[in-house]
């Protein structure tokens, strides 16, 4: 009798587990309903026509911890989310005036990068507080004035999981279909424009990255994207926190809210744990998914990486281990923790029918930091060309998109840094021209 009860119990648990596994494959699209929880309109939403808050109630969207300095900050974004630290199941859908009257064939969705939202990056990208930010508008405004139907997404977490953010791209497309009355139009497609980390959300959806990391309950690509325009996107990955000891020292000594590659380092004569700045701390999942050894795309190590202890510290940070001043798990451990996402995406490539265009910068100075009486150029790079954050060879790595025969229809390099590539009118005009290409 005990054996029969135990066998029945095991069968019951097996049935529950199988049921959860089978239903989870379609759960997300069944649970997301393309209706907003809240809509910001009128003067508070300007220059947008409206901003909607949406939520995908799938129970496996993770709760992602926020660095205390990296909650949502832009006033209209905070008001629409209703909080500074929204759950990853939530996203905002912004729409520019003219979204429903455009005669252009493909609606456009803008995807911002890390530490950013759609309003700060695409509406007023120069400032969030100075009055001048109201006079210098961004790419979203420019494209709307050129007659495009323009939407944008604000993700809940600046450094959140790119695969789950890719699901929000799928959800946004579902909502836009409904807004435009094209739910049953099999020819419906959108164009995606990404900035920096936003490239990863687009890639994770278009390339069905959910299966790389066992998130098979998320939506596979549905054939509803025509083109992706990458602005300074890390197609070949990033390895900044494992390439430079001084980057790690600067972030921790200045309390900069950015991920570091060291687990601890010597600071003012004492060992200091990296704490929540450690890229493995759980606060930087989206950054882990971008880690890749950029030597693989042709970027060598140079003088900016060398350390005066016969490069012991450089090796400890890059390869894992310890020196007299730094300890860490190394680049490979981070790459594995991120699911080898860059390599997996680049090996798979885009579906053949999706085209891409690449916009990159080659001016390496982001700004100058005053340290005592010195002005230190932040972003300066001697080993290869860079926009101050992403190496040119990473941002223009076409081979990462073409494995299935997809075409890269345009590559444009501007003598601008990473931030300027999202602010300059000449970049906006180029992007508009790329969208008009067949």
């Amino acid at each position: 009798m005990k054996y029969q009860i135990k066998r029945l119990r095991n069968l019951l648990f097996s049935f529950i587990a199988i049921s959860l596994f089978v239903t989870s494959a379609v759960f997300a699209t069944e649970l997301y309903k393309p209706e907003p929880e809240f809509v910001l309109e009128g003067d508070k939403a300007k220059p947008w026509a409206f901003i909607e808050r949406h939520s995908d109630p799938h129970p496996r969207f993770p709760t992602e911890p926020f660095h205390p300095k990296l909650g949502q900050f832009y006033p209209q974004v905070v008001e629409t989310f209703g909080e500074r630290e929204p759950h990853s199941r939530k996203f905002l859908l912004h729409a520019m005036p003219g979204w429903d009257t455009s005669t252009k064939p493909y609606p456009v969705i803008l995807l911002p990068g890390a530490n950013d939202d759609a309003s700060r990056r695409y509406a007023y990208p120069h400032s969030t507080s100075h009055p001048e930010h109201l006079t210098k508008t961004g790419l979203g405004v420019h494209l709307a004035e050129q007659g495009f139907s323009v939407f944008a997404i604000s993700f809940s977490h600046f450094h959140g999981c790119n695969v789950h953010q890719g699901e929000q791209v799928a959800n946004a497309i579902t909502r836009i279909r409904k807004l435009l009355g094209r739910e049953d139009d099999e020819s419906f497609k959108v164009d995606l424009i990404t900035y920096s980390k936003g490239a990863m959300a687009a890639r994770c959806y278009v390339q069905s990255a959910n299966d790389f990391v066992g998130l098979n309950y998320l939506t596979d690509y549905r054939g509803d994207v025509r083109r992706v325009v990458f602005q300074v996107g890390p197609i070949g990955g990033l390895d900044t926190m494992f390439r430079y000891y001084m980057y790690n020292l600067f972030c921790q000594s200045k309390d900069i809210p950015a991920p570091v590659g060291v687990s601890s380092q010597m600071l003012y004569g004492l060992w200091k744990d990296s704490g929540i700045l450690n890229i493995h701390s759980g606060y930087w999942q989206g950054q882990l998914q971008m880690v890749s050894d950029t030597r693989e795309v042709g970027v060598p190590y140079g003088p900016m990486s060398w350390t005066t202890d016969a490069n012991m510290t450089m090796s400890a940070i890059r390869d894992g281990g310890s020196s007299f001043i730094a300890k860490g798990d190394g680049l490979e451990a981070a790459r594995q923790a991120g699911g080898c996402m860059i390599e997996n995406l680049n090996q798979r490539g885009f579906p053949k029918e999706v085209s891409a265009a690449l916009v990159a910068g080659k001016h390496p100075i982001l700004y100058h930091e005053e340290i005592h009486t010195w002005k230190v150029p932040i972003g300066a790079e001697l080993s290869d060309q860079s926009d101050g954050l992403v190496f040119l060879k990473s941002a223009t790595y076409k081979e990462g998109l073409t494995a299935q025969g997809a075409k890269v229809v345009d590559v444009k390099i501007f003598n601008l840094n990473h931030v300027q590539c999202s602010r300059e009118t000449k970049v906006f005009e180029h992007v508009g021209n790329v969208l008009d290409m067949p």
Side-chain angles (χ1 to χ4, degrees):
M1 184 66 178
K2 286 184 179 180
Y3 171 76
Q4 290 176 325
I5 292 173
K6 183 177 180 181
R7 185 167 180 269
L8 182 62
R9 184 183 62 189
N10 290 342
L11 286 171
L12 178 60
F13 286 146
S14 298
F15 174 75
I16 292 171
I18 292 171
S19 298
L20 288 173
F21 175 78
V22 171
T23 58
S24 68
V26 294
F27 219 19
T29 51
E30 288 183 354
L31 286 184
Y32 171 68
K33 304 301 180 185
E35 294 293 341
E37 295 181 331
F38 174 81
V39 183
L40 189 72
E41 298 176 289
D43 289 345
K44 287 186 175 182
K46 287 181 177 179
W48 307 99
F50 60 80
I51 307 174
E52 299 179 338
R53 183 177 74 235
H54 289 263
S55 182
D56 187 328
H58 193 285
R60 291 177 68 181
F61 269 87
T63 299
E64 297 178 306
F66 284 76
H67 186 287
K69 293 183 178 181
L70 292 179
Q72 299 291 337
F73 62 89
Y74 204 95
Q76 62 183 193
V77 171
V78 174
E79 182 171 353
T80 311
F81 268 127
E83 56 186 315
R84 292 187 69 251
E85 298 183 359
H87 195 276
S88 67
R89 69 171 63 95
K90 297 182 181 181
F91 71 96
L92 305 187
L93 182 66
H94 307 238
M96 277 288 170
W99 64 271
D100 55 345
T101 58
S102 172
T103 58
K104 300 279 188 179
Y106 305 103
V108 175
I109 307 177
L110 310 173
L111 309 181
N115 296 344
D116 235 342
D117 56 70
S119 291
R120 205 277 286 267
R121 186 51 49 206
Y122 297 117
Y124 301 120
H126 283 264
S127 170
T128 59
S129 57
H130 194 279
E132 74 170 8
H133 83 283
L134 296 175
T135 64
K136 296 182 178 181
T137 52
L139 178 61
V141 176
H142 175 86
L143 293 177
E145 291 174 346
Q146 300 304 308
F148 290 92
S149 176
V150 179
F151 298 88
I153 295 173
S154 287
F155 297 111
S156 59
H157 196 294
F158 294 150
H159 297 274
C161 171
N162 297 300
V163 186
H164 286 97
Q165 291 184 355
E167 180 70 7
Q168 303 297 25
V169 175
N171 288 336
I173 294 174
T174 298
R175 173 58 179 165
I176 292 168
R177 275 181 174 270
K178 182 166 186 177
L179 283 168
L180 296 175
R182 300 180 64 181
E183 297 101 317
D184 300 321
D185 184 353
E186 295 183 359
S187 68
F188 179 83
K189 291 182 184 290
V190 301
D191 287 338
L192 304 178
I193 302 176
T194 75
Y195 174 71
S196 195
K197 179 182 178 291
M200 295 297 290
R203 297 190 74 184
C204 284
Y205 170 56
V206 172
Q207 297 180 247
S208 298
N210 49 328
D211 62 350
F212 295 151
V213 286
L215 302 179
N216 295 320
Y217 56 91
L218 298 179
T219 303
D220 290 331
Y221 175 59
R222 301 169 300 195
D224 45 16
V225 175
R226 178 191 72 125
R227 176 166 297 156
V228 183
V229 181
F230 295 100
Q231 291 180 274
V232 292
I235 310 300
L238 290 172
D239 57 4
T240 306
M241 62 287 297
F242 299 101
R243 185 175 276 268
Y244 308 112
Y245 163 66
M246 290 302 296
Y247 164 88
N248 289 274
L249 181 63
F250 182 76
C251 288
Q252 196 159 5
S253 63
K254 293 284 187 178
D255 195 25
I256 303 296
V260 299
V262 297
S263 56
S264 61
Q265 61 184 318
M266 188 72 71
L267 199 62
Y268 306 120
L270 298 172
W271 281 98
K272 183 174 181 179
D273 187 87
S274 297
I276 63 174
L277 295 185
N278 188 334
I279 196 170
H280 293 283
S281 65
Y283 287 75
W284 313 100
Q285 182 62 25
Q287 296 290 334
L288 276 171
Q289 293 166 338
M290 292 191 288
V291 170
S292 184
D293 190 339
T294 56
R295 290 178 296 179
E296 296 297 319
V297 296
V299 181
Y301 272 59
M304 300 287 288
S305 299
W306 299 342
T307 54
T308 56
D309 55 356
N311 290 331
M312 289 177 59
T313 297
M314 180 186 78
S315 297
I317 295 172
R318 182 189 65 201
D319 302 325
S322 63
S323 71
F324 292 111
I325 56 175
K327 301 176 183 178
D329 297 320
L331 185 153
E332 181 61 20
R335 193 178 73 88
Q336 294 290 335
C340 303
M341 185 62 70
I342 291 292
E343 288 76 14
N344 283 323
L345 289 171
N346 290 346
Q347 289 171 14
R348 174 170 290 181
F350 265 15
K352 185 177 181 179
E353 68 276 10
V354 181
S355 63
L358 306 176
V359 176
K362 63 176 183 179
H363 184 70
I365 308 301
L366 294 173
Y367 63 95
H368 288 82
E369 177 77 17
E370 291 191 9
I371 301 178
H372 301 296
T373 59
W374 299 342
K375 284 191 174 181
V376 179
I378 302 301
E381 177 53 62
L382 300 180
S383 58
D384 218 300
Q385 287 185 302
S386 146
D387 64 11
L389 183 61
V390 178
F391 283 112
L392 184 61
K393 287 177 180 174
S394 178
T396 60
Y397 188 61
K398 296 189 293 185
E399 294 84 350
L401 304 170
T402 58
Q404 295 186 50
K407 293 182 179 180
V408 176
V409 298
D410 187 80
V411 178
K412 180 69 172 179
I413 301 169
F414 291 92
N415 188 27
L416 300 171
N417 68 30
H418 193 78
V419 176
Q420 290 169 336
C421 281
S422 72
R423 290 179 173 176
E424 297 292 325
T425 300
K426 59 185 176 182
V427 179
F428 302 165
E429 292 172 347
H430 176 73
V431 170
N433 291 336
V434 169
L435 294 177
D436 280 333
M437 292 172 60

